[in-house]
Amino acid sequence: MKMVLSHFNYWCKAKDEAQLANAKIEMFDPTSKSPQLDWVPAMQRRRLSHYAKMALFVAANSAEKSGAESMPVVFASQHGDFHRTSSILKDLAHQEVISPTSFGLSVHNAVIGLYSILTNNQQPMNSIAAGENTLLMALIEASIQLNNPNIYEVLVVYCDQPLPDDYARFDDVNSCDLACAFVVSKDNEQGITLSLTPSDTPNNTPLQAKQFVEFLATNKTNDALVLGSQSAWHLHIDEVTPC
């Protein structure tokens, strides 16, 4: 499979100073809690979690850079807004009343639904969760959608964050707050031309999403990366044309 990735942007925050020191990519505002969303109405913005703000921030940036009013969207997250879900579970355990708003915003496709409403984007959208292969499956889904002769570009959004403290022992990939977005197209005069081919060597390195962001942020022709811990794919940069 071949595709062109353009209008890539990301927001990342280190979990600790050691992770920040070892990062190959810039950690935006490591002391801030959330990215700014001035384009979202204040009343709606107050209801958003940090996770939702990260996702909306990168999605809006890529869409704005592309100049397209609306396009299909593939949203991907391994855990979703699990901090909100964890809070709801605690309320249930203490037999407290559950907030309908909080519950509605906890489902996996809630963020992409908000994006659709806030931007009046009525194009097809779907939400993917596939464990460690989540980002890889989002790329493959976008590529499949581009086989539709009526679809010329797809916005891909990925977002995840470390699990809450009560579930931290299940987070074996040393997660950090990370969101990225980019536009995938069949053919584009500007962007990163990328080839995807099946690989015989699975990538068992933790936090593959961070590897992918580093791969794109420091892109050079002939760079390569393997994504996927089960169905592994080899990503190769064929050409880089600055956007």
Side-chain angles (χ1 to χ4, degrees):
M1 292 186 290
K2 280 200 173 186
M3 61 180 71
V4 180
L5 273 61
S6 60
H7 310 297
F8 164 70
N9 80 110
Y10 66 92
W11 197 94
C12 192
K13 176 182 171 185
K15 185 166 62 175
D16 52 46
E17 292 184 2
Q19 190 174 27
L20 180 61
N22 295 329
K24 296 180 181 178
I25 56 176
E26 178 185 1
M27 300 291 184
F28 289 123
D29 292 330
T31 59
S32 71
K33 293 183 178 180
S34 297
Q36 301 301 308
L37 294 172
D38 296 336
W39 56 277
V40 178
M43 183 175 294
Q44 180 66 66
R45 193 165 60 238
R46 285 193 295 269
R47 299 176 180 175
L48 298 176
S49 65
H50 171 63
Y51 166 86
K53 289 179 179 179
M54 285 196 300
L56 292 174
F57 178 79
V58 295
N61 280 351
S62 288
E64 181 180 5
K65 290 177 182 178
S66 74
E69 292 185 1
S70 61
M71 69 184 87
V73 181
V74 174
F75 176 73
S77 178
Q78 180 173 350
H79 301 294
D81 197 348
F82 198 75
H83 284 258
R84 190 183 289 274
T85 302
S86 175
S87 178
I88 292 174
L89 291 174
K90 287 181 178 179
D91 289 342
L92 284 172
H94 292 99
Q95 298 184 341
E96 296 179 4
V97 177
I98 305 301
S99 164
T101 298
S102 186
F103 176 77
L105 293 175
S106 70
V107 298
H108 199 270
N109 62 351
V111 170
I112 205 61
L114 283 173
Y115 177 77
S116 173
I117 294 170
L118 292 168
T119 61
N120 195 31
N121 185 343
Q122 300 181 33
Q123 294 295 313
M125 300 184 183
N126 62 354
S127 183
I128 290 177
E132 295 177 359
N133 297 296
T134 295
L135 181 56
L136 170 64
M137 292 299 108
L139 280 172
I140 293 176
E141 170 66 19
S143 178
I144 292 172
Q145 290 196 22
L146 289 175
N147 289 323
N148 185 328
N150 297 318
I151 296 179
Y152 303 97
E153 55 187 5
V154 178
L155 175 63
V156 177
V157 183
Y158 176 91
C159 184
D160 255 316
Q161 61 184 151
L163 293 173
D165 291 342
D166 291 340
Y167 298 87
R169 62 184 181 277
F170 300 110
D171 185 2
D172 56 359
V173 297
N174 195 25
S175 298
C176 63
D177 290 341
L178 176 62
C180 68
F182 46 87
V183 176
V184 177
S185 57
K186 299 176 183 176
D187 188 19
N188 198 322
E189 294 181 355
Q190 298 177 325
I192 303 172
T193 304
L194 195 67
S195 298
L196 285 81
T197 55
S199 172
D200 296 329
T201 307
N203 181 349
N204 296 316
T205 304
L207 204 55
Q208 294 179 25
K210 183 170 177 288
Q211 284 185 305
F212 182 75
V213 170
E214 292 173 350
F215 176 67
L216 291 185
T218 59
N219 57 77
K220 294 180 181 178
T221 302
N222 294 324
D223 280 356
L225 174 70
V226 174
L227 276 183
S229 59
Q230 297 169 333
S231 175
W233 287 73
H234 181 266
L235 282 68
H236 184 269
I237 295 179
D238 298 322
E239 183 180 358
V240 178
T241 308
C243 295

